[in-house]
Every structure is written in C-alpha cells, then in structure tokens.
Amino acid sequence: MARRFHAPYLSEPISSLATWTRNLAVFSVVAVLVSILILRFDFLEMKPALATFFGALGLAVLSILLGLAAFVAIWHNGSRGMSRVLLAFMIDAVVLAYPGYLALQNRKLPKIYDITTDPVDPPRFEALAPLRNGDGTNTAAYAGLYSWEQQRTFYPDIEPVQVELPPDRAYAVALKLVNRRKWFVVDERAPQPPRREGRIEAVARTPIMGFREDISIRIKPDGEESRIDVRSASRYSGSPYFDSDLGSNASRVNKLLEDLSSAAETEAQKPVKKVTPPPVAKGNANAKTVKK
C-alpha cells in the first residue's frame, strides 16, 4: 500500500506577523486610493483628505517594520509566510516611492507656491479671487518679494513672452492653448476697445492628487506686437502638511511660455485675411434720368 508523502514545511504554521504585514500593506493601498478619490472629487475638505493620505503612508511604514520582525521570526522558528512578507514589501515600495521622491524634491526646491512673469505688476486673480478666500487657501494677492527672489534664483528662465502678433490674435492663440490643456476656464476677456488688455483666468489640477492651481494670463499691446504675462499659484499650500508647490507652478508656466512662443511664431507666418468691404450702393444722383 502506497504511503502519502508529507513535506515537513507544510506542517509549520504561518507567521501571524507575516499575515499582519501583508494586510497592512493592502490596507495602505486602499487608503491611498480613497484619499486621492476624496481630493479629486471633493468629497471632503482638504485637511481630512490629506490626513487620510498621510495615515496611509504611515501604515505602509508600519507594514515594513512588521515585515522585518516577521522575517526574524521566520528565520528563528522556521514558520511559513515569507511570500506574504515579500509581497507586502513590494506593495509598500509602490506606495512610498512617489511620496519619497516628493519629499526629496521638497528639500531641494524653494518654499514658494506663486510663480509669475511680472513681479512688479503680476496678472491679477479677479474672477478667481472669491475661491481663494476659504479656510486654508492662499489669498489672491501676490506672494511678494521673497517669492520673487526665490523664483529668480531657481527659475531664472521665466520671463514675459513678446510675440509678433496684435493683441486679438495673441489672445486667440493663448486661449487655444488653454483649452487644449483642458484647464477649466473661469473668465475670458478678449482685448476690445476701450480696454485693449486681454485676460484669461483658469484652473489646472495636479496629475495625481488633483490639487487646484490657479492661472491668470494677460495679453497687453506693445506697439504692433503683444506682451504675454502668466501667473500660476497653488490654491492650497503653506499648510501643516506641505509648504511649497514642489515646482509644479514653475513647470506649468515654463511649458506654457514655450508653447506660446512656438504657436505665436506659427500664427505670425499665416497670411492675414483681408476683409473686403461691401460695395457701396449707388444713390439716386447717379441714376439715369428717363425722359418721358
């Protein structure tokens, strides 16, 4: 009669520490996803959502510590569960990788959140001003001289764009780029007499967490050309959780300025359509007199 074979390791119990390590890692992923959904769809205020997010990161760290303890226990008593520990470590690495990168960036980048091409007379937030008066939000006023000095040191390439287009065509180019980026346009005012200055106010959101960052674009005539100024400022920053924009506003302004220069150059090469005036109706003075 054949005897059944039993591997010795199958009779060993699974380490409870390994199980808790895996469970905490999975729960941290769920908590991170929930916090992101809360932020992007505005289910709760900013502070509770961020508290959920950082709590999830704390669970991932705790999972790593329990995993190390589980590894020691498995090594000494020969219990099973190493695969659960390794799976948990992989999950924890995914959860903590991007926040860890942002933490390093926060140490390197300046503690500013308001970027503009014109610190003396920055484009104003007018339609967006009421949205920046809530609890924990930054005001619509420009951040000031300290912000400009830090910007000039870290982002010296951010300057106004001079385009060889009249204000109305420059405004159309800017508005097209804003719509292409799918920013939420709050206000758009074309440069029309007697006000020759055009303005666009819009809201962008960061890719993952969906933080709101407000943009104001100003188009002013400069002789036969136009000058375009841009301002991008985080609506929430300087909070207990973070004190800078991690370079997101500067990156947005830089890319927009590059695209404005390229698009305006392309637009300037297009022939201007001449509007043919309608023919003037001839009056009775030129009509032929018919003699009866």
Side-chain angles (χ1 to χ4, degrees):
M1 185 175 180
R3 300 178 58 186
R4 296 180 63 184
F5 173 76
H6 292 276
Y9 69 89
L10 292 178
S11 61
E12 295 296 336
I14 297 176
S15 170
S16 60
L17 284 176
T19 301
W20 274 104
T21 299
R22 182 198 61 185
N23 292 346
L24 284 176
V26 172
F27 189 74
S28 69
V29 172
V30 174
V32 164
L33 294 177
V34 168
S35 65
I36 292 175
L37 291 175
I38 289 173
L39 285 170
R40 293 201 69 90
F41 295 99
D42 303 320
F43 293 139
L44 290 175
E45 297 294 330
M46 175 70 68
K47 289 183 179 180
L50 286 177
T52 303
F53 178 76
F54 285 107
L57 299 185
L59 289 176
V61 173
L62 181 59
S63 173
I64 292 175
L65 296 178
L66 284 179
L68 295 175
F71 177 80
V72 174
I74 292 172
W75 181 267
H76 282 287
N77 58 32
S79 57
R80 291 184 293 151
M82 185 58 68
S83 60
R84 300 186 180 188
V85 174
L86 295 177
L87 175 62
F89 283 170
M90 293 175 59
I91 295 174
D92 295 333
V94 173
V95 171
L96 295 173
Y98 188 63
Y101 167 75
L102 294 181
L104 292 176
Q105 291 294 99
N106 189 50
R107 294 176 62 88
K108 297 178 182 179
L109 296 175
K111 305 298 186 290
I112 57 177
Y113 53 84
D114 198 341
I115 301 295
T116 181
T117 57
D118 187 354
V120 178
D121 182 22
R124 295 184 298 275
F125 294 129
E126 296 181 358
L128 287 167
L131 303 178
R132 299 177 67 91
N133 288 330
D135 183 27
T137 60
N138 297 312
T139 65
Y142 178 57
L145 181 61
Y146 171 79
S147 180
W148 165 243
E149 290 176 347
Q150 294 293 308
Q151 174 186 320
R152 184 173 56 182
T153 301
F154 284 86
Y155 313 116
D157 297 334
I158 295 180
E159 296 178 345
V161 172
Q162 197 82 12
V163 297
E164 298 179 353
L165 293 173
D168 56 340
R169 294 177 67 190
Y171 170 85
V173 168
L175 184 59
K176 184 177 180 180
L177 290 175
V178 168
N179 290 328
R180 185 183 301 170
R181 284 165 163 77
K182 300 187 183 304
W183 294 343
F184 180 73
V185 177
V186 178
D187 189 26
E188 50 180 287
R189 285 170 285 173
Q192 297 176 349
R195 184 188 70 250
R196 301 184 61 196
E197 181 179 294
R199 187 182 301 274
I200 303 169
E201 293 185 58
V203 180
R205 306 196 72 169
T206 56
I208 298 178
M209 300 299 291
F211 295 126
R212 288 179 175 82
E213 294 181 331
D214 299 325
I215 302 103
S216 180
I217 304 172
R218 182 179 63 202
I219 300 95
K220 296 171 60 176
D222 189 1
E224 296 182 354
E225 300 180 350
S226 299
R227 166 176 165 156
I228 304 178
D229 285 289
V230 180
R231 179 184 175 192
S232 181
S234 301
R235 193 178 299 178
Y236 297 93
S237 62
S239 70
Y241 303 105
F242 51 92
D243 54 3
S244 76
D245 63 1
L246 302 175
S248 62
N249 287 296
S251 176
R252 180 179 299 105
V253 172
N254 256 327
K255 291 177 181 177
L256 179 59
L257 294 176
E258 291 175 1
D259 290 349
L260 281 170
S261 297
S262 301
E265 185 177 351
T266 302
E267 180 69 19
Q269 295 174 358
K270 295 181 180 179
V272 180
K273 295 181 180 179
K274 295 183 179 180
V275 179
T276 305
V280 179
K282 296 181 179 181
N284 294 331
N286 298 325
K288 294 182 178 180
T289 303
V290 178
K291 295 181 180 180
K292 293 183 179 180

